Amino acid sequence: RLAFLHQRNLRPELAEVTLRAALRHDPLDAVLLADLAEAAWVRQAPDEAFAWVERAIRLIPGFDRPWELLLQWSNVTTRPGDTSLRLRVVRKLVDDQRLDDALSRTRTALGDDPTHIDAHDLHAYILSRLGRYDEALAACAPPVFKQARPR
């Protein structure tokens, strides 16, 4: 591919132009979207990179490459307010049987957004999959939601 050759020859701007031209001809090509995501990441445009990778995931949820990009990038940066996107990555880790990593990332998401109900639900689910049933049961009633009863 021409874009690959441009990247290899340290011409990322030409690679991106080539990818965008190819995308105009096939806007539903998830591989091109993932390539554009990587190009945007290299040029230090993380918001654009995340948008491209999310578009690729929405087109083909089972395509591993955009998920792997998200995993790599989430080790480098966090995006406050993107708990739902983070949880999609965690679900992919669960599907791949990478439960310890999934649990760690769920705890990070809960640290950033302690009232996210889906994050608590996923946290409890992962704990149960790990056989940590007492912790899973406790995770079903997180302290953040406990309120004092009116007298």
Side-chain angles (χ1 to χ4, degrees):
R1 282 173 101 175
L2 184 58
F4 175 74
L5 291 174
H6 285 313
Q7 283 178 329
R8 211 168 113 192
N9 291 322
L10 302 176
R11 305 283 309 269
E13 67 285 347
L14 289 177
E16 193 166 353
V17 167
T18 304
L19 291 169
R20 286 179 186 274
L23 190 66
R24 281 193 297 277
H25 293 285
D26 190 0
L28 300 178
D29 186 334
V31 174
L32 286 174
L33 294 168
D35 288 343
L36 279 165
E38 271 192 292
W41 186 263
V42 167
R43 133 173 94 71
Q44 299 182 351
D47 289 338
E48 185 181 338
F50 280 107
W52 286 121
V53 83
E54 188 172 4
R55 192 169 153 195
I57 288 169
R58 287 183 193 281
L59 279 173
I60 306 176
F63 180 33
D64 285 337
R65 185 158 164 244
W67 289 107
E68 290 300 324
L69 291 172
L70 277 179
L71 289 171
Q72 289 172 17
W73 299 341
S74 66
N75 288 330
V76 175
T77 184
T78 58
R79 297 183 63 194
D82 279 353
T83 304
S84 295
L85 182 60
R86 286 182 186 184
L87 294 181
R88 290 182 71 182
V89 171
V90 170
R91 286 184 188 95
K92 176 66 173 158
L93 290 171
V94 170
D95 290 346
D96 292 347
Q97 303 296 317
R98 295 170 59 183
L99 298 176
D100 290 325
D101 193 13
L103 182 63
S104 173
R105 289 172 187 268
T106 304
R107 287 183 172 149
T108 300
L110 284 169
D112 292 343
D113 191 352
T115 60
H116 199 287
I117 293 172
D118 290 338
H120 284 285
D121 183 52
L122 189 55
H123 184 235
Y125 173 74
I126 294 167
L127 287 167
S128 70
R129 290 276 310 269
L130 288 168
R132 296 162 60 175
Y133 303 113
D134 291 337
E135 289 177 74
L137 186 59
C140 291
V144 72
F145 292 117
K146 292 182 182 176
Q147 298 178 356
R149 293 185 182 167
R151 295 184 182 188

